[in-house]
Amino acid sequence: MLKIGITGGIGSGKSTVCQIFELLGVPVYHADDRAKFLMQHDPVLQAALKKHFGDKVYQEDGELDRAYLSSLVFGDKEKVALLNSLVHPAVAADSEVWLQGHQHLPYALKEAALLFESGSYRQLDAIISVTAPLELRIERVIKRDSSTREAVLARIAHQWPQDKKDALADYLIVNDGTHLLIPQILHVHRELRQRSQLTHSV
Ligand code: ATP
């Protein structure tokens, strides 16, 4: 089974594209959702977060205090890097177990906003980048999250530029509202199935 990463800047349409892959029967590991789950449920990760950021990152009822943790790391690159260095290995290990469970399929997808930034692309066989123009991405996220332009730009500042991701990717899906999505997804789907067969026959 091929392990395929799918990434793209905020608002590029990763989740939308993944929903279509899922309709085709392709399993998708949602790394960002899973990271949130692990921060709440993985005892080793919980202990590491408490050790480095203090017991108060968990409330008395055991719930992770996301707002407090965000306030601790906000605007501090070193603390953001420390937080990522705790969370990313936990997600990497968890996704590896998940991927092992899908060995019988031609390929499975791992969706992550920071696939390149975290270095996790190195464990994958190929990467799909979902790409869209910056202004369109900003508009989409403002609408989706009822967010402000400034808040969206602040989130974008933590990510690599879209063109850097596109240059490193093996497959591009252009989600600019002009190019049709489904034919592009079907094309990549066919290529990956074919590539998987070739891999198995070697
Ligand atoms: P994030 O990194 O924030 O999770 P994302 O890359 O997963 O973002 P989506 O949530 O898939 O992006 O898309 C952002 C918003 O744009 C959503 O509300 C989605 O419905 C909308 N959207 C995505 N693609 C299109 C499209 N081709 N046409 C219209 N709306 C779209």
Side-chain angles (χ1 to χ4, degrees):
M1 185 212 51
L2 294 173
K3 301 172 189 173
I4 308 297
I6 180 161
T7 190
I10 175 173
S12 59
K14 294 177 293 299
S15 309
T16 306
V17 168
C18 283
Q19 281 171 10
I20 301 172
F21 273 107
E22 282 175 321
L23 287 175
L24 294 170
V26 179
V28 182
Y29 180 90
H30 300 280
D32 302 334
D33 295 342
R34 198 63 192 164
K36 287 183 190 147
F37 175 87
L38 292 171
M39 287 165 87
Q40 188 59 60
H41 297 283
D42 177 345
V44 177
L45 180 56
Q46 282 181 329
L49 290 171
K50 282 184 190 167
K51 181 176 165 203
H52 291 279
F53 294 101
D55 288 346
K56 274 168 54 189
V57 294
Y58 290 93
Q59 297 164 351
E60 277 180 14
D61 60 2
E63 194 76 21
L64 177 68
D65 191 339
R66 287 186 194 285
Y68 174 65
L69 182 58
S70 298
S71 72
L72 289 181
V73 304
F74 186 77
D76 186 330
K77 277 192 172 173
E78 278 181 23
K79 283 195 178 146
V80 171
L82 172 62
L83 179 58
N84 286 338
S85 74
L86 302 175
V87 176
H88 287 155
V91 174
D94 183 68
S95 68
E96 203 43 50
V97 172
W98 181 89
L99 286 163
Q100 293 301 328
H102 293 90
Q103 285 296 337
H104 57 292
L105 294 173
Y107 74 98
L109 292 178
K110 176 176 177 178
E111 179 204 2
L114 303 180
L115 206 59
F116 287 114
E117 293 88 333
S118 68
S120 62
Y121 72 98
R122 293 193 196 93
Q123 273 83 51
L124 299 166
D125 297 305
I127 307 293
I128 302 167
S129 180
V130 181
T131 186
L134 182 63
E135 273 309 315
L136 183 57
R137 290 167 46 207
I138 296 169
E139 264 174 45
R140 283 175 180 161
V141 179
I142 291 174
K143 201 168 156 195
R144 185 193 61 191
D145 299 349
S146 306
S147 189
T148 63
R149 185 179 175 85
E150 290 65 38
V152 179
L153 288 173
R155 287 163 73 187
I156 286 175
H158 285 291
Q159 304 188 340
W160 283 11
Q162 182 72 53
D163 55 359
K164 190 171 171 184
K165 295 182 183 191
D166 295 350
L168 287 168
D170 302 273
Y171 303 95
L172 273 191
I173 292 180
V174 180
N175 184 26
D176 59 0
T178 305
H179 293 78
L180 290 176
L181 268 186
I182 292 174
Q184 296 183 74
I185 293 169
L186 287 174
H187 175 74
V188 173
H189 181 59
R190 273 195 293 270
E191 290 227 347
L192 289 172
R193 287 176 65 91
Q194 211 170 15
R195 190 166 164 168
S196 172
Q197 277 173 358
L198 292 176
T199 310
H200 285 118
S201 61
V202 177

